[in-house]
Amino acid sequence: ASGLPVLASDVLRKAAGASPVVYDDRSRAAVYAALGDRADAAPAVIVDATFGHRGLQDAFFSHCASQAGRPVLAIECVLDDAVRDERARARESAGSDPSDAGPREAATLAARHVGVDDRADGHLVLDTSAPVEALVGRVEAWLDGPTA
């Protein structure tokens, strides 16, 4: 819809040849550093990743250093545990999603999650249990507002 390229942590992790479920901190930080490098090389991009703890944010932002003059806007997607678990089960059953995080891993990542820190130039917290049309409208309004 936006026409921007999407860099997804799960796709990059698999392209690097990581085993199906490599979610340890060091491996994840290496993926986020690579995301930062790729984002830094693009004029504009969407990064699809959890950024769920400071080490991941540090890895990304330290490799995205030349972004000066270009805003980094963060949309932090949240939802309740039951919806998260239902989506993780559906993703796992379908077997077609790049993520290997089933319900157990999704719950572990959620329990450790910290919000996006102040290095983002704008930050929107979005409850993704809402209908997609409402989410798109909210994001568009936010992007068109004073934070963009």
Side-chain angles (χ1 to χ4, degrees), residues 28-104:
R28 291 180 73 213
V31 168
Y32 280 70
L35 286 171
D37 288 338
R38 290 180 183 200
D40 193 45
V45 67
I46 295 171
V47 178
D48 174 10
T50 64
F51 289 93
H53 65 77
R54 296 287 180 246
L56 300 177
Q57 294 174 34
D58 291 344
F60 176 80
F61 282 107
S62 69
H63 284 260
C64 203
S66 72
Q67 288 290 334
R70 294 185 289 170
V72 175
L73 304 175
I75 299 174
E76 185 174 348
C77 299
V78 298
L79 70 166
D80 67 52
D81 294 351
V83 174
R84 179 203 64 224
D85 292 346
E86 177 185 322
R87 289 181 182 173
R89 277 191 298 279
R91 182 176 56 235
E92 189 174 56
S93 293
S96 59
D97 192 279
S99 176
D100 292 309
R104 185 182 335 213

Side-chain angles (χ1 to χ4, degrees), residues 14-26:
K14 286 188 173 183
S19 64
V21 186
V22 179
Y23 286 103
D24 64 90
D25 290 345
R26 193 172 88 173

Side-chain angles (χ1 to χ4, degrees), residues 126 131-144:
L126 192 64
V132 171
E133 298 79 16
L135 298 173
V136 169
R138 182 149 182 234
V139 170
E140 287 175 341
W142 179 70
L143 290 172
D144 290 340

